Amino acid sequence: MSSFVNFWEEIPSLYRFYILVGGLTFFWTLESILPSRKHSAERASHALTNLFFTLTTILVNFSLAGIIFFLSYWSIHHKIGILTWIEMPLIVQIIVGLLLLDLVGAYTPHFVQHKVKWLWQYHVIHHTDTQVDSTSANRHHPGESVIRAFFTMIAVVFCGAPMWLVMLYQAASVSFSQFNHSNLKLPNWLDSLLGWIIVTPNMHRVHHHFQQPITDTNYGNIFSFWDKIFGTYIAMEEKDIVFGIDTYTDPNENSKILSLIKIPFLGYREPSGGDKK
Ligand SMILES: [Zn+2]
């Protein structure tokens, strides 16, 4: 198992890039073969917009990686964080670590971003997407990427997570997010079965329904049970889901890169209830 730890401890940035690009290629191909919804004529330009924000996310994460690395080392050195308090076998450490990083570093900030208005003004860019697919996974405003990195720092210290575990979690997070955003039609029985443990496309699509407060549900990133434990889970028929957000229904605002970048600075918009859709 030490070679497993070593691999993630020393994983080159290029390998992490391959995981992201490989996942996108894989799910893009799969959703082309087995689409849940018919692809629009703007599929390629939509993907380019999302790839721009994927690139800014990579740049922000890359520039802040040193702080996360330092905090991981610092928390282990000072025995701060749950994983440093209890001796456990490696496999248990992996499971507990992934669960805690997902709860503190992904579910919690996602929930908070839906509740705090100035944070929502950054996160809403993710929700303006009217054609959710695998490229939507990293459609994050650069400001949101900074906010998410800040919460990752909190999660790393809370867990006392070694850097190999952080790298493992981040690689899993990228791949699972591409999967649950994908326009992939899974058989209902398979989606339901997987949904006991992980966030599935059917579960996450509800989160991208345009009408608030339905948008304020199903916050999960990798594991589906956080929503069930904390009462934020709902199920909805696929046919009733309309992608987008009720406050930005104008294509001039919700599909152009420059307009999207400006959104956090336009002020908070009250949900309209979606009756104009
Ligand atoms: Zn959200």
Side-chain angles (χ1 to χ4, degrees), residues 110 113-114 120 123 126-127 148 204 207-208 215 217 219:
H110 194 182
Q113 285 181 99
H114 276 249
W120 169 250
H123 180 57
H126 184 67
H127 284 273
R148 282 173 169 260
H204 195 67
H207 184 73
H208 281 273
T215 315
T217 59
Y219 297 107

Side-chain angles (χ1 to χ4, degrees), residues 25-261:
T25 311
F26 177 73
F27 288 116
W28 173 276
T29 308
L30 217 53
E31 66 193 1
S32 302
I33 300 167
L34 281 171
S36 178
R37 296 167 187 226
K38 202 169 168 289
H39 292 290
S40 81
E42 296 90 40
R43 189 185 181 198
S45 65
H46 163 262
L48 281 178
T49 301
N50 287 350
L51 290 178
F52 170 82
F53 287 105
T54 303
L55 189 64
T56 60
T57 299
I58 291 171
L59 290 175
V60 169
N61 288 350
F62 195 73
S63 60
L64 297 175
I67 302 176
I68 292 173
F69 185 88
F70 167 78
L71 288 173
S72 168
Y73 172 81
W74 179 82
S75 60
I76 291 170
H77 185 72
H78 293 281
K79 288 206 174 296
I80 295 167
I82 291 171
L83 294 178
T84 66
W85 300 338
I86 310 158
E87 277 288 324
M88 52 183 97
L90 185 62
I91 187 70
V92 179
Q93 193 182 8
I94 291 171
I95 294 168
V96 173
L98 293 181
L99 288 171
L100 288 178
L101 287 173
D102 197 52
L103 175 63
V104 183
Y107 176 89
T108 304
H110 194 182
F111 178 87
V112 171
Q113 285 181 99
H114 276 249
K115 301 298 173 193
V116 179
K117 287 179 181 173
W118 74 269
L119 294 178
W120 169 250
Q121 285 169 226
Y122 287 93
H123 180 57
V124 75
I125 282 82
H126 184 67
H127 284 273
T128 55
D129 198 331
T130 56
Q131 305 168 45
V132 175
D133 66 14
S134 56
T135 67
S136 309
N138 286 104
R139 180 188 168 110
H140 297 140
H141 191 281
E144 176 174 4
S145 300
V146 174
I147 293 161
R148 282 173 169 260
F150 175 72
F151 276 96
T152 299
M153 292 169 196
I154 293 175
V156 166
V157 175
F158 179 86
C159 299
M163 210 50 212
W164 64 265
L165 193 55
V166 179
M167 291 294 176
L168 174 64
Y169 176 76
Q170 289 187 336
S173 174
V174 164
S175 305
F176 278 90
S177 187
Q178 289 168 346
F179 166 66
N180 61 45
H181 283 90
S182 69
N183 180 29
L184 179 61
K185 179 149 188 64
L186 286 182
N188 282 341
W189 66 266
L190 182 58
D191 197 287
S192 304
L193 187 68
L194 293 173
W196 282 97
I197 306 288
I198 61 168
V199 178
T200 63
N202 274 357
M203 179 178 171
H204 195 67
R205 280 179 199 133
V206 178
H207 184 73
H208 281 273
H209 181 61
F210 81 109
Q211 210 166 13
Q212 298 176 70
I214 291 172
T215 315
D216 305 326
T217 59
N218 298 8
Y219 297 107
N221 185 43
I222 293 182
F223 300 111
S224 56
F225 38 78
W226 299 130
D227 280 295
K228 290 170 184 168
I229 291 170
F230 296 110
T232 52
Y233 171 76
I234 65 165
M236 199 169 156
E237 290 282 330
E238 160 83 32
K239 64 177 174 50
D240 298 328
I241 297 170
V242 179
F243 292 145
I245 195 73
D246 52 11
T247 46
Y248 290 91
T249 55
D250 179 354
N252 285 319
E253 286 190 307
N254 66 30
S255 62
K256 295 190 168 69
I257 291 173
L258 269 180
S259 308
L260 291 167
I261 287 178

